[in-house]
Amino acid sequence: MNTLVALPTVAPGGMDASIDAHFGHCDLYTVVEIEDGKVKDVRTLPNVPHQQGGCMAPVNHLAQNNVKVLIAGGMGMRPLMGFHQVGIDVYHGNGTATVSAAIRAFIDGSLPRFSQEYTCGGGQ
């Protein structure tokens, strides 16, 4: 089964791209397709324009692009609940600096699911 995993990134760079600290303000997402525990494809997806308090636009954008998993640093409770409502699992990419490191941790099961303890008041 294939899974599309999105990671907010600072700039293009494939598996070497640096992860953006806050999903709602990133310029783009690196989307990694995983099949049977291996990376099958890597592409970028531009983020939608973001305004303060407008974190639901990226939720809908990722859902419309068939993303099933988001690995993020900070986000508020509203978008976290939004991701859950559209069927996107959210993991906390704590300390993973690159897409490659985060994907390795996701595949090996060492990334924690995002919970209230990781939420922020909005990335300013």
Side-chain angles (χ1 to χ4, degrees):
M1 179 175 176
N2 294 11
T3 302
L4 291 181
V5 180
L7 302 95
T9 47
V10 177
M15 295 297 285
D16 294 325
S18 296
I19 295 178
D20 195 315
H22 193 281
F23 87 98
H25 295 276
C26 69
D27 291 329
L28 57 95
Y29 294 94
T30 298
V31 178
V32 179
E33 184 177 359
I34 298 174
E35 181 176 27
D36 299 324
K38 298 190 185 324
V39 173
K40 181 177 178 183
D41 188 42
V42 180
R43 62 184 173 91
T44 59
L45 177 67
N47 195 2
V48 292
H50 178 80
Q51 297 178 10
Q52 190 64 27
C55 289
M56 292 309 290
V59 170
N60 297 326
H61 181 57
L62 292 175
Q64 290 166 356
N65 282 278
N66 301 314
V67 168
K68 296 299 178 200
V69 174
L70 173 69
I71 299 173
M75 79 173 58
M77 280 303 296
R78 183 170 177 242
L80 180 59
M81 290 177 358
F83 282 117
H84 290 170
Q85 288 172 349
V86 298
I88 296 176
D89 291 328
V90 183
Y91 289 82
H92 189 247
N94 53 330
T96 55
T98 64
V99 169
S100 179
I103 291 296
R104 275 195 311 273
F106 173 74
I107 290 171
D108 74 20
S110 65
L111 280 185
R113 285 197 183 253
F114 211 99
S115 65
Q116 190 169 358
E117 70 185 270
Y118 300 122
T119 60
C120 67
Q124 291 157 31

